[in-house]
């Protein structure tokens, strides 16, 4: 059974504090938007899909017990709080897209003279809650499409789609989504099909999401898995017959350039050198067609302390300067395919294909 990072019932939201894993499993109550902003910003919840869901559900929890004098007042409350939530982690586009969708709904409901403020609030809550179910369904579709793409590629290369070895980076599983996962969902599907020989995960410095979270999930699922240091990837791809690299994404530009956890870019470069297919697994909500290329993606920079300390223990020399971008951008020409819930697309095909899907 997959781990549950988000527990929600109407009026109640709890998140698994990922800063405490794998040593301690503790759920935190999120009682409103301020709590939602804090757990996102402090990375107690992380992963672009989970950020969007927790952010929106924190708003649902806040407005659930409130009574509003008018639909206009409710819409103003929704708009202000959603804009605030987007500021918590600006690189992850899912929160911005979810906020835009909910604000569009609020505007439509405000104009609809056939419903009152009570019905408007009810519909808004239902739309927010539907995001949980949709994310899990989307992740399962991503897993199926990704597993099929990897196995087909292997079959074309060696004549048989036997069990495969894959490498993943950061954490993209149940802890980063509502459930199942994106890149780790592909791994789960390979396992379900009996086609997973081994999965390697990077430690993912400086926050160690791979060592703390992905390894935790892999052990929980009893997958055949090995943790490697970030600096070992070149040696791994040279010696371990890895069939594919599959990672997640925080934002994908219209040309296929992809922002993901720092270290993704260098893995893509190494994979290209060794002829290993490099896949990005992400829902359509992570694709931002308004951004033409990765050069336009805002990269969040995190505090020096994340590099200089592990917990309360300093590991870097006092006085050293630090540069700590949370993400890097992998150019589209290094990406074999972008795995979505609607299929796998080559980066060059992405803008046109996604545009058609969004129109349909």
């Amino acid at each position: 059974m997959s781990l549950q990072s988000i527990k929600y019932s109407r009026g109640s939201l709890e998140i698994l504090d990922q800063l405490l894993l794998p040593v301690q499993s503790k759920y935190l109550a999120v009682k409103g938007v301020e709590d939602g902003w804090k757990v996102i910003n402090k990375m107690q919840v992380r992963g672009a899909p989970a950020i969007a869901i927790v952010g929106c559900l924190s708003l649902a929890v806040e407005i659930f017990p409130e009574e509003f004098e008018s639909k206009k007042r409710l819409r103003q409350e929704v708009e202000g709080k959603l804009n605030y939530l987007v500021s918590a982690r600006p690189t992850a586009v899912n929160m911005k897209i979810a906020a835009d969708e909910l604000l569009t709904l609020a505007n439509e409901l405000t104009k609809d003279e056939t419903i009152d403020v009570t019905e408007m609030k009810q519909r808004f809550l239902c739309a927010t809650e539907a995001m949980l179910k949709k994310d899990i369904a989307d992740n399962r579709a991503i897993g199926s499409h990704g597993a099929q793409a990897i196995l087909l590629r292997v079959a074309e290369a060696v004549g048989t789609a036997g069990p495969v070895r894959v490498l993943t980076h950061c954490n993209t599983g149940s802890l980063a989504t509502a459930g199942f996962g994106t890149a780790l969902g592909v791994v789960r599907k390979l396992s379900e099909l009996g086609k997973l020989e081994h999965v390697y995960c990077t430690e993912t410095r400086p926050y160690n999401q791979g060592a703390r979270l992905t390894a935790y999930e892999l052990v929980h699922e009893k997958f055949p898995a090995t943790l490697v240091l970030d600096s070992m990837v070149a040696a791994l791809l040279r010696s371990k017959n890895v069939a594919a690299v599959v990672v997640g994404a925080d934002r994908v530009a219209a040309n296929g350039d992809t922002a993901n956890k720092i270290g993704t870019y260098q893995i893509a470069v190494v994979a290209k050198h060794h002829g290993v297919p490099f896949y990005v697994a992400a829902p359509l909500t992570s694709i931002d067609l308004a951004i033409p290329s990765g050069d336009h993606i805002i990269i969040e920079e995190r505090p020096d302390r994340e590099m200089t300390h592990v917990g309360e223990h300093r590991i870097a020399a006092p006085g050293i300067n630090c540069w700590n971008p949370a993400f890097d951008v992998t150019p589209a020409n290094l990406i074999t395919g972008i795995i979505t819930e609607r299929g796998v697309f080559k980066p060059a095909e992405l803008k046109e294909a996604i545009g058609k899907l969004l129109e349909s």
Side-chain angles (χ1 to χ4, degrees):
M1 181 179 177
S2 298
L3 295 164
Q4 187 177 8
S5 62
I6 302 168
K7 291 183 177 181
Y8 175 81
S9 60
R10 182 160 289 191
S12 174
L13 174 64
E14 293 182 327
I15 60 104
L16 185 61
D17 187 347
Q18 297 186 25
L19 295 183
L20 301 180
L21 293 174
V23 177
Q24 183 180 0
S25 296
K26 179 182 177 181
Y27 284 89
L28 294 175
V30 176
K31 298 181 179 179
V33 167
E34 191 62 41
D35 286 349
W37 192 96
K38 288 177 180 177
V39 297
I40 292 169
N41 182 259
K42 291 171 65 178
M43 294 177 66
Q44 289 169 296
V45 62
R46 21 80 42 218
I51 286 170
I53 292 166
V54 169
C56 294
L57 289 178
S58 74
L59 176 56
V61 167
E62 182 162 313
I63 69 172
F64 171 68
E66 295 185 14
E67 293 186 3
F68 296 90
E69 60 188 27
S70 67
K71 293 196 294 182
K72 181 180 178 180
R73 182 72 189 94
L74 173 55
R75 190 202 66 79
Q76 290 173 339
E77 182 83 358
V78 164
E79 181 177 17
K81 296 295 173 64
L82 285 173
N83 288 335
Y84 178 58
L85 286 163
V86 169
S87 73
R89 297 290 306 278
T91 303
V93 71
N94 302 55
M95 183 65 233
K96 177 67 166 63
I97 290 176
D100 288 346
E101 289 178 353
L102 289 176
L103 185 55
T104 297
L105 174 64
N107 287 331
E108 291 173 352
L109 294 174
T110 302
K111 296 175 183 177
D112 188 344
E113 297 180 357
T114 66
I115 64 170
D116 61 14
V117 65
T118 301
E119 178 66 13
M120 176 178 171
K121 187 176 88 167
Q122 175 70 16
R123 291 194 189 186
F124 185 84
L125 290 174
C126 289
T128 305
E129 292 162 356
M131 292 179 178
L132 269 172
K133 292 181 179 179
K134 184 178 185 303
D135 187 62
I136 295 173
D138 288 349
N139 290 342
R140 290 189 175 276
I142 287 169
S144 295
H145 290 307
Q148 291 169 10
I150 290 171
L151 294 174
L152 179 61
R153 183 105 179 185
V154 170
E156 291 174 347
V158 301
T160 179
V164 296
R165 300 176 184 180
V166 296
L167 168 68
T168 192
H169 183 59
C170 197
N171 176 254
T172 58
S174 295
L175 297 176
T177 63
F180 202 74
T182 53
L184 212 56
V186 175
V187 174
R188 281 196 169 88
K189 188 60 181 180
L190 286 168
S191 178
E192 288 179 4
L193 295 171
K195 297 292 186 178
L196 179 66
E197 180 180 341
H198 208 88
V199 54
Y200 297 92
C201 64
T202 57
E203 60 176 346
T204 320
R205 283 280 292 149
Y207 237 55
N208 295 307
Q209 292 99 323
R212 292 188 301 106
L213 306 178
T214 299
Y216 184 74
E217 289 199 52
L218 295 174
V219 170
H220 177 82
E221 301 281 359
K222 296 182 172 58
F223 291 157
T226 298
L227 175 68
V228 298
L229 302 183
D230 294 350
S231 54
M232 292 178 180
V233 170
L236 177 77
L237 297 188
R238 183 178 183 181
S239 62
K240 294 297 184 182
N241 193 30
V242 173
V245 177
V246 57
V247 302
D250 284 81
R251 183 174 295 210
V252 181
N255 72 337
D257 290 350
T258 296
N260 192 48
K261 184 54 56 187
I262 192 72
T264 303
Y265 180 15
Q266 64 192 29
I267 295 174
V269 171
V270 171
K272 186 79 168 182
H273 176 76
H274 289 282
V276 176
F278 184 94
Y279 291 96
V280 171
L284 293 180
T285 52
S286 292
I287 299 171
D288 191 349
L289 296 182
I291 292 185
S293 73
D295 294 337
H296 300 268
I297 297 176
I298 297 170
I299 300 298
E300 175 189 4
E301 296 196 12
R302 303 285 301 176
D304 291 0
R305 185 180 177 85
E306 293 178 5
M307 293 177 64
T308 60
H309 290 69
V310 174
E312 299 302 315
H313 301 284
R314 173 175 279 277
I315 59 171
I320 188 66
N321 293 321
C322 295
W323 180 49
N324 187 20
F327 308 94
D328 55 28
V329 176
T330 300
N333 63 359
L334 298 178
I335 298 170
T336 305
I338 296 172
I339 307 164
T340 75
E341 66 269 32
R342 300 294 294 274
V344 182
F345 304 99
K346 294 179 180 179
E349 305 169 346
L350 187 67
K351 184 175 182 179
E352 182 179 356
I354 300 304
K356 289 180 179 177
L357 288 174
L358 294 177
E359 289 173 2
S360 61

